[in-house]
Amino acid sequence: MLKKTRSAPETRRGKISLDDCVAAFDDYLRRKDLRVTAPRRTVLEKVYAIHDHFDADDLLVELRRKGLRVSRATIYRTLELMDGAGLVKKTSFTDNKVYYEFAYGHGHHDHLICKACGKIVEFKDEVIEARQESVCRRFGFAIACHSHKIYGFCPACRRKGVDMS
Amino acid sequence: MLKKTRSAPETRRGKISLDDCVAAFDDYLRRKDLRVTAPRRTVLEKVYAIHDHFDADDLLVELRRKGLRVSRATIYRTLELMDGAGLVKKTSFTDNKVYYEFAYGHGHHDHLICKACGKIVEFKDEVIEARQESVCRRFGFAIACHSHKIYGFCPACRRKGVDMS
DNA sequence: TTCTATGCAAAAGCTTTGCAAATCA
DNA sequence: TGATTTGCAAAGCTTTTGCATAGAA
């Protein structure tokens, strides 16, 4: 449903290397008295390679394509762990499925989503960020996190003249 | 998972009466060459009565409680129609289920959600609204709609000293 | 060796769909 | 009457779980 489009790796990945990620995950596992295993490493490496928004099935397909066999159950279990470790972040769009995105060393941002082609662009606006704090104050809430998605039509689709109704 | 808490009916319902809703839905159905039926009316009336955020099952339970029997399939089908008619709006939170909220004559707004008790508060901030336009312009997107959810802890839960970690 | 993680298949939860019977126009 | 809608049950999807076996420490 949502197509995958990725920003340049350098943009999303920043200065974080795969080794840094592996180290961070291993540390997390040890701190939690969990085991460092081959399937967990395999999943982490693939998540690092995909980097952008994906769902559990995308990950399974990508792994299979490379001849790597990790069960669906392990994928779900590992993504859950990686979420706890802060390596990925769960998100949901308009369909009712869970999506993940690489999150380690990748600052907070929000999403601009093309309704025609599914392209996802990240943005961050300081004015909006600051304003959210004041909204919370207004209602006495202590802010924890937020999800801000703007749906619209990307430049390419507009040029192609897609139906925007 | 998400508990239901409703704002005062006057706040959400505004000046819209049930009759207005019925008329709007009937008009929509006729325009689409669809039929005005008893189950559709029953669902509409219950949605109007609930008014706040609910899922298909909430609706079914509420109907049963009043001795009204409409099948689950019809509830899903009718909510889909009401979404098309602009009477309800689909939303999703962190679990992967579809939620609905009454939308007719109820202006656009965003949500502040308590992570402890599930309370949902609506807000609208003009600065944020305006700023979104400029984010879109920056990326060449034509904005269609947006979903902005801020998660945090409500005043009551903070007072109770819930675990905010 | 001991205890956790994996894989498989079954189960679970939400939503959709095929089809015969009921209902609307 | 003729076409649409309903209800039921079955199917579909995504995600979770129980359990025997494989694997880490």
Side-chain angles (χ1 to χ4, degrees):
Chain A
M1 157 122 236
L2 280 164
K3 307 223 187 83
K4 285 123 250 167
T5 28
R6 29 201 85 128
S7 357
E10 313 73 49
T11 312
R12 294 207 91 248
R13 197 168 298 147
K15 295 281 178 296
I16 308 297
S17 70
L18 174 57
D19 285 349
D20 288 339
C21 293
V22 168
F25 196 29
D26 288 1
D27 281 358
Y28 176 82
L29 292 173
R30 279 191 266 269
R31 269 201 309 285
K32 295 272 182 179
D33 276 311
L34 299 171
R35 292 176 182 175
V36 174
T37 67
R40 285 177 180 162
R41 173 71 55 93
T42 303
V43 170
L44 170 56
E45 288 178 0
K46 184 53 73 184
V47 166
Y48 183 83
I50 294 183
H51 231 85
D52 235 331
H53 311 80
F54 61 89
D55 61 30
D57 194 63
D58 292 335
L59 197 51
L60 185 82
V61 169
E62 283 298 313
L63 286 167
R64 292 280 154 91
R65 194 201 303 283
K66 289 282 195 294
L68 303 166
R69 223 182 280 78
V70 175
S71 74
R72 207 176 281 280
T74 296
I75 288 177
Y76 278 104
R77 290 188 276 230
T78 305
L79 286 172
E80 195 60 41
L81 284 175
M82 291 180 64
D83 186 44
L87 288 163
V88 299
K89 232 175 56 181
K90 284 177 159 177
T91 326
S92 54
F93 293 96
T94 44
D95 50 355
N96 41 314
K97 296 174 51 178
V98 175
Y99 286 86
Y100 296 87
E101 62 178 321
F102 186 80
Y104 190 61
H106 184 60
H108 163 76
H109 58 265
D110 291 297
H111 301 294
L112 207 45
I113 301 132
C114 178
K115 292 180 78 171
C117 71
K119 178 176 182 166
I120 298 173
V121 173
E122 299 174 358
F123 74 89
K124 173 157 189 176
D125 187 282
E126 297 301 347
V127 174
I128 293 176
E129 297 290 323
R131 200 64 194 179
Q132 290 184 118
E133 301 283 349
S134 83
V135 166
C136 279
R137 245 175 279 124
R138 195 188 312 159
F139 293 98
F141 268 62
I143 192 168
C145 60
H146 71 270
S147 152
H148 190 172
K149 299 188 197 334
I150 303 179
Y151 294 89
F153 297 90
C154 73
C157 288
R158 293 174 70 183
R159 248 180 273 115
K160 268 188 281 181
V162 298
D163 175 21
M164 308 205 332
S165 66
Chain B
M1 153 121 238
L2 280 164
K3 307 223 188 81
K4 284 121 248 165
T5 29
R6 27 199 87 127
S7 0
E10 312 72 48
T11 312
R12 294 207 94 249
R13 196 169 298 147
K15 294 280 178 298
I16 309 295
S17 69
L18 174 57
D19 286 348
D20 289 337
C21 294
V22 168
F25 196 30
D26 288 2
D27 281 358
Y28 176 82
L29 292 172
R30 278 191 269 268
R31 268 200 311 284
K32 295 272 181 181
D33 276 311
L34 299 172
R35 293 177 182 174
V36 174
T37 66
R40 286 176 179 162
R41 174 70 55 92
T42 302
V43 170
L44 170 56
E45 288 178 359
K46 184 53 73 183
V47 166
Y48 183 83
I50 293 184
H51 231 83
D52 236 331
H53 309 79
F54 60 90
D55 61 31
D57 194 63
D58 293 335
L59 197 51
L60 186 82
V61 169
E62 283 298 312
L63 286 167
R64 292 280 155 90
R65 193 201 303 282
K66 289 282 195 297
L68 303 165
R69 223 182 281 80
V70 175
S71 74
R72 206 175 282 278
T74 296
I75 288 177
Y76 278 105
R77 290 188 277 231
T78 305
L79 287 171
E80 195 60 41
L81 285 175
M82 291 179 65
D83 186 44
L87 288 162
V88 299
K89 232 174 56 181
K90 282 177 162 178
T91 326
S92 55
F93 293 96
T94 44
D95 50 355
N96 42 315
K97 295 175 51 178
V98 175
Y99 285 86
Y100 296 88
E101 62 178 322
F102 186 80
Y104 190 60
H106 184 59
H108 164 75
H109 58 267
D110 291 296
H111 301 295
L112 206 46
I113 302 130
C114 179
K115 292 180 77 171
C117 71
K119 177 176 183 167
I120 298 172
V121 173
E122 299 174 359
F123 74 89
K124 173 158 188 175
D125 187 283
E126 296 302 346
V127 175
I128 293 176
E129 298 290 324
R131 199 65 194 178
Q132 291 184 117
E133 302 284 349
S134 83
V135 167
C136 280
R137 245 176 280 124
R138 195 187 313 160
F139 294 97
F141 267 63
I143 192 169
C145 60
H146 71 269
S147 151
H148 190 172
K149 300 189 199 331
I150 303 178
Y151 294 88
F153 297 90
C154 74
C157 287
R158 294 174 70 184
R159 248 180 273 115
K160 267 187 282 180
V162 298
D163 175 21
M164 307 204 334
S165 68

